Amino acid sequence: MKTALLAVFVLLFSFTTKPLLGSAAAAPEPVLDVSGEKLRAGVNYLVHVVPTRCGGVGVTRCPGGGGGLTIASTRNRTYPLDVVLAYNVLPLTFTLANSKKGVVRVATDLNVKFSALSNSFQSKVWKLDYFDKLTGQRFVTTGGVEGNPGPETIRNWFKIEKYGSAYKFVYCPTVCKFCRVSCKDIGIYVEDGKKRLALSDVPLNIRFTKA
């Protein structure tokens, strides 16, 4: 009899200690700047690329080590401007797909926009360009639309994810439930001395400082 009562007690205890179905999932961790402060939407930040080393014979620095992000005219065109790696770093801001949340969190959809430019009539919101036949790449350019998450703006949404002790940009939008996208890291493509952001198997290792 005692054994039966003990079994019933253990069974009831196991049910009461399990989380209730439908309970809110924990929010993703916040993205932090180099001072340990949480990144917030609408605030100006500088993105710095952390120098890393490539493996292999000779152990040379990976292309893209050091510097930060800015925009430049590439591919023989003046607009839209492409996002490139350089040393004249420009401040940028983040706009969240969920506008009610002010803290930037890892693996959540956001717009990225350069904020300190005089020719403001041109959109400085990041977007993923179409496939470039000459290079076989998909570059990160500007001319995107801020906000309005959905299928029409699917190329304008990026994410920040943890990458070792720092972070990386990722293209993997979830603002459209029925859209088919190929998720990939954002790295660089080097051509004619210009280092343009593009989809890559080797992500840029980045950190943030408040501008």
PDB file of all heavy atoms in Angstrom, residues 46-52 62-69 84-86 89 188 197 203-208:
ATOM      1  N   LEU A  46      28.894  52.554 -34.046  1.00  0.00           N
ATOM      2  CA  LEU A  46      29.920  52.257 -35.029  1.00  0.00           C
ATOM      3  C   LEU A  46      30.173  50.760 -35.013  1.00  0.00           C
ATOM      4  O   LEU A  46      30.243  50.148 -33.933  1.00  0.00           O
ATOM      5  CB  LEU A  46      31.220  53.008 -34.713  1.00  0.00           C
ATOM      6  CG  LEU A  46      31.128  54.537 -34.685  1.00  0.00           C
ATOM      7  CD1 LEU A  46      32.483  55.124 -34.262  1.00  0.00           C
ATOM      8  CD2 LEU A  46      30.694  55.102 -36.022  1.00  0.00           C
ATOM      9  N   VAL A  47      30.305  50.165 -36.187  1.00  0.00           N
ATOM     10  CA  VAL A  47      30.585  48.739 -36.294  1.00  0.00           C
ATOM     11  C   VAL A  47      32.054  48.568 -36.645  1.00  0.00           C
ATOM     12  O   VAL A  47      32.513  49.054 -37.684  1.00  0.00           O
ATOM     13  CB  VAL A  47      29.707  48.067 -37.362  1.00  0.00           C
ATOM     14  CG1 VAL A  47      30.060  46.591 -37.486  1.00  0.00           C
ATOM     15  CG2 VAL A  47      28.230  48.226 -37.020  1.00  0.00           C
ATOM     16  N   HIS A  48      32.785  47.899 -35.770  1.00  0.00           N
ATOM     17  CA  HIS A  48      34.205  47.657 -35.985  1.00  0.00           C
ATOM     18  C   HIS A  48      34.429  46.175 -36.264  1.00  0.00           C
ATOM     19  O   HIS A  48      33.840  45.316 -35.611  1.00  0.00           O
ATOM     20  CB  HIS A  48      35.014  48.076 -34.765  1.00  0.00           C
ATOM     21  CG  HIS A  48      34.896  49.538 -34.451  1.00  0.00           C
ATOM     22  ND1 HIS A  48      35.598  50.498 -35.135  1.00  0.00           N
ATOM     23  CD2 HIS A  48      34.131  50.195 -33.539  1.00  0.00           C
ATOM     24  CE1 HIS A  48      35.293  51.695 -34.655  1.00  0.00           C
ATOM     25  NE2 HIS A  48      34.403  51.534 -33.693  1.00  0.00           N
ATOM     26  N   VAL A  49      35.279  45.898 -37.224  1.00  0.00           N
ATOM     27  CA  VAL A  49      35.613  44.512 -37.561  1.00  0.00           C
ATOM     28  C   VAL A  49      36.813  44.084 -36.734  1.00  0.00           C
ATOM     29  O   VAL A  49      37.851  44.757 -36.729  1.00  0.00           O
ATOM     30  CB  VAL A  49      35.909  44.367 -39.063  1.00  0.00           C
ATOM     31  CG1 VAL A  49      36.348  42.941 -39.388  1.00  0.00           C
ATOM     32  CG2 VAL A  49      34.680  44.745 -39.868  1.00  0.00           C
ATOM     33  N   VAL A  50      36.663  42.979 -36.031  1.00  0.00           N
ATOM     34  CA  VAL A  50      37.725  42.471 -35.164  1.00  0.00           C
ATOM     35  C   VAL A  50      38.703  41.666 -36.009  1.00  0.00           C
ATOM     36  O   VAL A  50      38.299  40.728 -36.712  1.00  0.00           O
ATOM     37  CB  VAL A  50      37.146  41.584 -34.046  1.00  0.00           C
ATOM     38  CG1 VAL A  50      38.254  41.091 -33.128  1.00  0.00           C
ATOM     39  CG2 VAL A  50      36.091  42.349 -33.264  1.00  0.00           C
ATOM     40  N   PRO A  51      40.003  41.989 -35.974  1.00  0.00           N
ATOM     41  CA  PRO A  51      40.981  41.210 -36.743  1.00  0.00           C
ATOM     42  C   PRO A  51      40.990  39.756 -36.286  1.00  0.00           C
ATOM     43  O   PRO A  51      41.006  39.461 -35.096  1.00  0.00           O
ATOM     44  CB  PRO A  51      42.311  41.896 -36.423  1.00  0.00           C
ATOM     45  CG  PRO A  51      41.944  43.270 -35.985  1.00  0.00           C
ATOM     46  CD  PRO A  51      40.621  43.118 -35.287  1.00  0.00           C
ATOM     47  N   THR A  52      40.954  38.859 -37.249  1.00  0.00           N
ATOM     48  CA  THR A  52      41.018  37.421 -36.956  1.00  0.00           C
ATOM     49  C   THR A  52      42.103  36.804 -37.808  1.00  0.00           C
ATOM     50  O   THR A  52      42.589  37.405 -38.759  1.00  0.00           O
ATOM     51  CB  THR A  52      39.681  36.726 -37.263  1.00  0.00           C
ATOM     52  OG1 THR A  52      39.322  36.999 -38.620  1.00  0.00           O
ATOM     53  CG2 THR A  52      38.586  37.235 -36.345  1.00  0.00           C
ATOM     54  N   CYS A  62      43.073  37.050 -42.107  1.00  0.00           N
ATOM     55  CA  CYS A  62      41.955  36.966 -43.031  1.00  0.00           C
ATOM     56  C   CYS A  62      41.697  38.336 -43.647  1.00  0.00           C
ATOM     57  O   CYS A  62      41.832  39.346 -42.970  1.00  0.00           O
ATOM     58  CB  CYS A  62      40.683  36.514 -42.303  1.00  0.00           C
ATOM     59  SG  CYS A  62      40.787  34.888 -41.566  1.00  0.00           S
ATOM     60  N   PRO A  63      41.291  38.415 -44.913  1.00  0.00           N
ATOM     61  CA  PRO A  63      40.916  39.708 -45.469  1.00  0.00           C
ATOM     62  C   PRO A  63      39.734  40.268 -44.702  1.00  0.00           C
ATOM     63  O   PRO A  63      38.782  39.556 -44.400  1.00  0.00           O
ATOM     64  CB  PRO A  63      40.545  39.379 -46.925  1.00  0.00           C
ATOM     65  CG  PRO A  63      40.216  37.933 -46.908  1.00  0.00           C
ATOM     66  CD  PRO A  63      41.117  37.326 -45.865  1.00  0.00           C
ATOM     67  N   GLY A  64      39.792  41.530 -44.347  1.00  0.00           N
ATOM     68  CA  GLY A  64      38.698  42.138 -43.604  1.00  0.00           C
ATOM     69  C   GLY A  64      39.037  42.374 -42.160  1.00  0.00           C
ATOM     70  O   GLY A  64      38.235  42.917 -41.416  1.00  0.00           O
ATOM     71  N   GLY A  65      40.225  41.994 -41.714  1.00  0.00           N
ATOM     72  CA  GLY A  65      40.587  42.210 -40.330  1.00  0.00           C
ATOM     73  C   GLY A  65      40.835  43.681 -40.049  1.00  0.00           C
ATOM     74  O   GLY A  65      41.638  44.326 -40.719  1.00  0.00           O
ATOM     75  N   GLY A  66      40.144  44.266 -39.071  1.00  0.00           N
ATOM     76  CA  GLY A  66      40.311  45.666 -38.718  1.00  0.00           C
ATOM     77  C   GLY A  66      39.412  46.550 -39.556  1.00  0.00           C
ATOM     78  O   GLY A  66      38.781  46.137 -40.509  1.00  0.00           O
ATOM     79  N   GLY A  67      39.357  47.830 -39.181  1.00  0.00           N
ATOM     80  CA  GLY A  67      38.498  48.771 -39.891  1.00  0.00           C
ATOM     81  C   GLY A  67      37.054  48.662 -39.434  1.00  0.00           C
ATOM     82  O   GLY A  67      36.740  48.118 -38.376  1.00  0.00           O
ATOM     83  N   GLY A  68      36.178  49.224 -40.235  1.00  0.00           N
ATOM     84  CA  GLY A  68      34.762  49.213 -39.899  1.00  0.00           C
ATOM     85  C   GLY A  68      33.925  49.366 -41.150  1.00  0.00           C
ATOM     86  O   GLY A  68      34.427  49.232 -42.267  1.00  0.00           O
ATOM     87  N   LEU A  69      32.635  49.666 -40.983  1.00  0.00           N
ATOM     88  CA  LEU A  69      31.712  49.669 -42.105  1.00  0.00           C
ATOM     89  C   LEU A  69      31.347  51.089 -42.539  1.00  0.00           C
ATOM     90  O   LEU A  69      31.127  51.970 -41.721  1.00  0.00           O
ATOM     91  CB  LEU A  69      30.450  48.895 -41.744  1.00  0.00           C
ATOM     92  CG  LEU A  69      30.667  47.436 -41.339  1.00  0.00           C
ATOM     93  CD1 LEU A  69      29.326  46.753 -41.092  1.00  0.00           C
ATOM     94  CD2 LEU A  69      31.468  46.679 -42.397  1.00  0.00           C
ATOM     95  N   VAL A  84      30.714  48.676 -47.534  1.00  0.00           N
ATOM     96  CA  VAL A  84      32.089  48.222 -47.691  1.00  0.00           C
ATOM     97  C   VAL A  84      32.831  48.305 -46.364  1.00  0.00           C
ATOM     98  O   VAL A  84      32.395  48.974 -45.417  1.00  0.00           O
ATOM     99  CB  VAL A  84      32.836  49.056 -48.755  1.00  0.00           C
ATOM    100  CG1 VAL A  84      32.135  48.956 -50.103  1.00  0.00           C
ATOM    101  CG2 VAL A  84      32.948  50.516 -48.318  1.00  0.00           C
ATOM    102  N   LEU A  85      33.962  47.634 -46.346  1.00  0.00           N
ATOM    103  CA  LEU A  85      34.868  47.684 -45.203  1.00  0.00           C
ATOM    104  C   LEU A  85      35.942  48.722 -45.480  1.00  0.00           C
ATOM    105  O   LEU A  85      36.590  48.695 -46.529  1.00  0.00           O
ATOM    106  CB  LEU A  85      35.496  46.315 -44.976  1.00  0.00           C
ATOM    107  CG  LEU A  85      36.539  46.204 -43.869  1.00  0.00           C
ATOM    108  CD1 LEU A  85      35.920  46.498 -42.518  1.00  0.00           C
ATOM    109  CD2 LEU A  85      37.152  44.814 -43.868  1.00  0.00           C
ATOM    110  N   ALA A  86      36.131  49.667 -44.560  1.00  0.00           N
ATOM    111  CA  ALA A  86      37.131  50.717 -44.727  1.00  0.00           C
ATOM    112  C   ALA A  86      37.493  51.248 -43.349  1.00  0.00           C
ATOM    113  O   ALA A  86      37.080  50.696 -42.312  1.00  0.00           O
ATOM    114  CB  ALA A  86      36.594  51.829 -45.628  1.00  0.00           C
ATOM    115  N   VAL A  89      34.846  54.928 -40.770  1.00  0.00           N
ATOM    116  CA  VAL A  89      33.637  54.249 -40.299  1.00  0.00           C
ATOM    117  C   VAL A  89      32.493  55.251 -40.135  1.00  0.00           C
ATOM    118  O   VAL A  89      32.675  56.339 -39.580  1.00  0.00           O
ATOM    119  CB  VAL A  89      33.902  53.538 -38.965  1.00  0.00           C
ATOM    120  CG1 VAL A  89      32.680  52.741 -38.533  1.00  0.00           C
ATOM    121  CG2 VAL A  89      35.118  52.625 -39.095  1.00  0.00           C
ATOM    122  N   ILE A 188      32.894  39.342 -46.610  1.00  0.00           N
ATOM    123  CA  ILE A 188      33.335  40.322 -47.595  1.00  0.00           C
ATOM    124  C   ILE A 188      33.799  39.636 -48.875  1.00  0.00           C
ATOM    125  O   ILE A 188      34.210  38.480 -48.865  1.00  0.00           O
ATOM    126  CB  ILE A 188      34.475  41.222 -47.056  1.00  0.00           C
ATOM    127  CG1 ILE A 188      35.722  40.385 -46.743  1.00  0.00           C
ATOM    128  CG2 ILE A 188      34.029  42.019 -45.874  1.00  0.00           C
ATOM    129  CD1 ILE A 188      36.945  41.231 -46.509  1.00  0.00           C
ATOM    130  N   LEU A 197      30.645  44.052 -48.619  1.00  0.00           N
ATOM    131  CA  LEU A 197      29.899  43.057 -47.864  1.00  0.00           C
ATOM    132  C   LEU A 197      29.049  42.226 -48.813  1.00  0.00           C
ATOM    133  O   LEU A 197      28.401  42.757 -49.722  1.00  0.00           O
ATOM    134  CB  LEU A 197      29.018  43.726 -46.808  1.00  0.00           C
ATOM    135  CG  LEU A 197      29.631  43.805 -45.397  1.00  0.00           C
ATOM    136  CD1 LEU A 197      30.863  44.703 -45.414  1.00  0.00           C
ATOM    137  CD2 LEU A 197      28.612  44.296 -44.386  1.00  0.00           C
ATOM    138  N   PRO A 203      32.072  34.628 -42.003  1.00  0.00           N
ATOM    139  CA  PRO A 203      31.456  35.879 -41.520  1.00  0.00           C
ATOM    140  C   PRO A 203      32.490  36.873 -40.996  1.00  0.00           C
ATOM    141  O   PRO A 203      33.578  36.502 -40.574  1.00  0.00           O
ATOM    142  CB  PRO A 203      30.565  35.393 -40.384  1.00  0.00           C
ATOM    143  CG  PRO A 203      31.225  34.150 -39.886  1.00  0.00           C
ATOM    144  CD  PRO A 203      31.837  33.499 -41.090  1.00  0.00           C
ATOM    145  N   LEU A 204      32.104  38.147 -41.028  1.00  0.00           N
ATOM    146  CA  LEU A 204      32.900  39.175 -40.387  1.00  0.00           C
ATOM    147  C   LEU A 204      32.691  39.107 -38.883  1.00  0.00           C
ATOM    148  O   LEU A 204      31.566  38.954 -38.404  1.00  0.00           O
ATOM    149  CB  LEU A 204      32.500  40.563 -40.892  1.00  0.00           C
ATOM    150  CG  LEU A 204      32.972  40.977 -42.278  1.00  0.00           C
ATOM    151  CD1 LEU A 204      32.462  42.371 -42.600  1.00  0.00           C
ATOM    152  CD2 LEU A 204      34.489  40.927 -42.376  1.00  0.00           C
ATOM    153  N   ASN A 205      33.774  39.235 -38.150  1.00  0.00           N
ATOM    154  CA  ASN A 205      33.757  39.230 -36.687  1.00  0.00           C
ATOM    155  C   ASN A 205      33.639  40.692 -36.252  1.00  0.00           C
ATOM    156  O   ASN A 205      34.563  41.477 -36.443  1.00  0.00           O
ATOM    157  CB  ASN A 205      35.058  38.612 -36.189  1.00  0.00           C
ATOM    158  CG  ASN A 205      35.006  38.224 -34.739  1.00  0.00           C
ATOM    159  OD1 ASN A 205      33.965  38.252 -34.106  1.00  0.00           O
ATOM    160  ND2 ASN A 205      36.154  37.880 -34.189  1.00  0.00           N
ATOM    161  N   ILE A 206      32.498  41.092 -35.692  1.00  0.00           N
ATOM    162  CA  ILE A 206      32.229  42.508 -35.449  1.00  0.00           C
ATOM    163  C   ILE A 206      31.917  42.808 -33.989  1.00  0.00           C
ATOM    164  O   ILE A 206      31.474  41.934 -33.229  1.00  0.00           O
ATOM    165  CB  ILE A 206      31.079  43.017 -36.323  1.00  0.00           C
ATOM    166  CG1 ILE A 206      29.801  42.191 -36.051  1.00  0.00           C
ATOM    167  CG2 ILE A 206      31.444  42.960 -37.797  1.00  0.00           C
ATOM    168  CD1 ILE A 206      28.572  42.715 -36.730  1.00  0.00           C
ATOM    169  N   ARG A 207      32.175  44.062 -33.622  1.00  0.00           N
ATOM    170  CA  ARG A 207      31.787  44.592 -32.320  1.00  0.00           C
ATOM    171  C   ARG A 207      31.203  45.988 -32.510  1.00  0.00           C
ATOM    172  O   ARG A 207      31.417  46.609 -33.549  1.00  0.00           O
ATOM    173  CB  ARG A 207      32.975  44.611 -31.373  1.00  0.00           C
ATOM    174  CG  ARG A 207      33.400  43.228 -30.899  1.00  0.00           C
ATOM    175  CD  ARG A 207      34.573  43.266 -29.991  1.00  0.00           C
ATOM    176  NE  ARG A 207      34.950  41.921 -29.558  1.00  0.00           N
ATOM    177  CZ  ARG A 207      36.142  41.594 -29.102  1.00  0.00           C
ATOM    178  NH1 ARG A 207      37.086  42.510 -29.006  1.00  0.00           N
ATOM    179  NH2 ARG A 207      36.402  40.348 -28.731  1.00  0.00           N
ATOM    180  N   PHE A 208      30.523  46.479 -31.489  1.00  0.00           N
ATOM    181  CA  PHE A 208      29.803  47.745 -31.588  1.00  0.00           C
ATOM    182  C   PHE A 208      30.299  48.725 -30.509  1.00  0.00           C
ATOM    183  O   PHE A 208      30.532  48.344 -29.369  1.00  0.00           O
ATOM    184  CB  PHE A 208      28.302  47.519 -31.408  1.00  0.00           C
ATOM    185  CG  PHE A 208      27.721  46.510 -32.354  1.00  0.00           C
ATOM    186  CD1 PHE A 208      27.623  45.166 -31.984  1.00  0.00           C
ATOM    187  CD2 PHE A 208      27.276  46.882 -33.616  1.00  0.00           C
ATOM    188  CE1 PHE A 208      27.095  44.226 -32.859  1.00  0.00           C
ATOM    189  CE2 PHE A 208      26.745  45.947 -34.484  1.00  0.00           C
ATOM    190  CZ  PHE A 208      26.661  44.625 -34.099  1.00  0.00           C
TER     191      PHE A 208
END
